Amino acid sequence: MPETANPQLKRAVGPIELTLYGLGSMLGSGIYALVGKAAGVVGNAVWLSFVAALCAALLTALSYASLGSRYPRAGGAAYVTDRAFGLPVISFLVGLALVCSGMTSVATQSRVFANNLAQLMGWQSVPIEALALGFLLIMAGIDEHDAGPGRTSARTGPAAKGAKRQPAADSPAKPEEAKPE
């Protein structure tokens, strides 16, 4: 079966999931754990750090919106980097950096959850790392359980199985599939 001229990835993440992922990354519990520490260092000027973060987030959002409208394809920053530099190694490194960023967010949030749980339940003798690992395992179990018939999880999904690129629904038909007029 010949490859199409413009292979595209099959869309698996919709606008709701993408919005919730972005919201979770930006408003994750890690920020709430650091506000008190930052206020202890800078006092009443802590709001200035939020204004600076707002400006940075706004510039990032506008950049992604501009690039996303110019290159409306799956792949995000890695695709744009590939278009800009034409070097797959750089695109891979950008994608890897985004994955590492997400993993850092998850690690921070799981430690904050573990600290809060230990304080709430009076489990100071239990290592925070064990509670954080338990939290991550519970979340992984929820993800796996949510992958019912017709759905996939992060572990069993097409990306985990090394799926090949799927042509998009709006791509032109392959020559052997073209219908006679």
Side-chain angles (χ1 to χ4, degrees):
M1 180 183 288
E3 296 271 339
T4 60
N6 273 334
Q8 296 181 358
L9 297 173
K10 181 181 174 186
R11 178 177 280 194
V13 178
I16 293 173
E17 292 90 354
L18 188 60
T19 302
L20 291 175
Y21 173 76
L23 206 64
S25 292
M26 289 184 284
L27 299 177
S29 57
I31 190 172
Y32 303 114
L34 298 177
V35 171
K37 292 179 182 178
V41 173
V42 296
N44 290 337
V46 72
W47 64 273
L48 286 173
S49 63
F50 285 99
V51 171
L54 170 79
C55 292
L58 183 62
L59 291 174
T60 303
L62 291 174
S63 297
Y64 269 100
S66 174
L67 291 171
S69 64
R70 183 170 178 156
Y71 302 112
R73 302 215 187 240
Y79 177 77
V80 172
T81 304
D82 187 50
R83 291 289 305 225
F85 297 107
L87 296 171
V89 171
I90 296 175
S91 301
F92 171 76
L93 290 175
V94 167
L96 183 64
L98 290 171
V99 168
C100 290
S101 170
M103 290 172 57
T104 304
S105 296
V106 168
T108 302
Q109 293 170 13
S110 64
R111 281 194 65 94
V112 168
F113 177 82
N115 277 325
N116 291 340
L117 183 64
Q119 289 178 359
L120 179 69
M121 303 299 283
W123 295 345
Q124 279 73 21
S125 62
V126 179
I128 297 299
E129 292 79 11
L131 290 174
L133 181 61
F135 173 71
L136 291 174
L137 290 173
I138 289 171
M139 292 296 110
I142 290 172
D143 176 53
E144 190 64 33
H145 176 68
D146 190 39
R151 301 187 71 187
T152 59
S153 74
R155 187 173 67 83
T156 61
K161 295 178 181 175
K164 295 184 180 178
R165 291 181 168 185
Q166 299 290 327
D170 59 348
S171 67
K174 296 177 188 172
E176 68 269 15
E177 295 176 2
K179 295 180 182 177
E181 294 181 16

